[in-house]
């Protein structure tokens, strides 16, 4: 978002404080009008010629700039899946736990999936509960542990 003197175009398509269309005005004149009304001149897009600009109250312009910055900093959180078995060895479990912790520290979510055969559902649920407890420093469970058919799963989101 470009404001006031940062607008380099020679003329702008100006919109007033209440949304009224003022028309195409030289940038110097638009800046003078903004100073006179004690507001900011905000350019909404540089893709057209002349660029559309509007007069905005100073506090509103700062809020809009912060909202635009916050929106651009939002990043897509990826969900990485880690597969386990209920009768996993201690060393392998530690490796999977470290891998999950690294993923959570990087800001991504982890889906822990335990493949179940026969009556291993209870063991899989206990394993996932232990992992969620041990990973609580880096993330918290988004969903409860879901045991269905051939797998038990839980998603852990990173702590913000």
């Amino acid at each position: 978002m470009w404001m006031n003197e940062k607008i380099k175009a020679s003329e702008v398509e100006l919109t007033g404080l209440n949304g009224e269309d003022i028309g195409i005005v030289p940038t110097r004149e638009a800046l003078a009008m903004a100073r006179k009304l004690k507001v900011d001149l905000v350019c909404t897009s540089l893709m057209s010629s002349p660029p559309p600009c509007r007069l905005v109250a100073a506090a509103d312009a700062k809020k809009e700039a912060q909202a635009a910055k916050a929106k651009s900093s939002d990043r897509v959180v990826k969900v990485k899946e880690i597969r386990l078995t209920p009768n996993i060895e201690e060393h392998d479990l530690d490796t999977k736990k470290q891998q999950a912790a690294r993923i959570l520290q990087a800001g991504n979510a982890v889906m822990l999936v335990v493949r179940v055969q026969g009556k291993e559902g209870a063991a899989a649920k206990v394993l996932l509960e232990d992992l969620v407890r041990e990973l609580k420093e880096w993330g918290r469970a988004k969903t409860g542990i879901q045991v269905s058919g051939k797998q038990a799963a839980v998603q852990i989101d990173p702590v913000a």
Side-chain angles (χ1 to χ4, degrees):
M1 182 181 309
W2 294 267
M3 294 173 50
N4 300 327
E5 284 76 24
K6 291 185 179 176
I7 301 170
K8 300 294 183 195
S10 59
E11 56 185 18
V12 295
E13 187 176 338
L14 190 60
T15 304
L17 279 169
N18 299 321
E20 69 275 7
D21 186 32
I22 296 174
I24 297 174
V25 179
T27 305
R28 273 186 270 115
E29 194 176 309
L31 284 168
M33 195 182 303
R35 279 191 215 100
K36 182 177 140 194
L37 296 171
K38 294 186 172 131
V39 295
D40 287 321
L41 179 66
V42 177
C43 182
T44 54
S45 171
L46 292 178
M47 297 312 243
S48 60
S49 181
C53 293
R54 56 194 171 104
L55 297 172
V56 180
D60 293 340
K62 287 181 181 155
K63 285 179 189 174
E64 282 182 25
Q66 288 174 344
K69 186 176 181 183
K71 185 178 177 183
S72 68
S73 68
D74 288 347
R75 69 181 207 89
V76 177
V77 175
K78 294 180 183 173
V79 179
K80 308 276 185 150
E81 185 175 301
I82 296 179
R83 295 183 182 179
L84 309 147
T85 58
N87 50 359
I88 189 169
E89 294 291 327
E90 192 66 34
H91 172 73
D92 295 334
L93 182 61
D94 288 339
T95 303
K96 296 287 187 177
K97 192 183 339 169
Q98 289 172 1
Q99 184 181 9
R102 274 196 309 272
I103 292 169
L104 290 168
Q105 288 170 349
N108 293 315
V110 175
M111 175 72 78
L112 298 171
V113 177
V114 179
R115 293 196 181 160
V116 179
Q117 295 176 348
K119 298 182 181 182
E120 295 176 332
K125 189 170 183 178
V126 170
L127 175 66
L128 287 176
E129 287 171 351
D130 290 343
L131 279 170
V132 168
R133 195 174 323 105
E134 291 174 14
L135 292 170
K136 73 179 178 187
E137 180 181 338
W138 301 285
R140 63 177 63 90
K142 177 180 180 182
T143 60
I145 296 171
Q146 302 162 344
V147 181
S148 61
K150 296 185 178 188
Q151 71 178 22
V154 65
Q155 181 173 336
I156 303 175
D157 286 345
V159 176

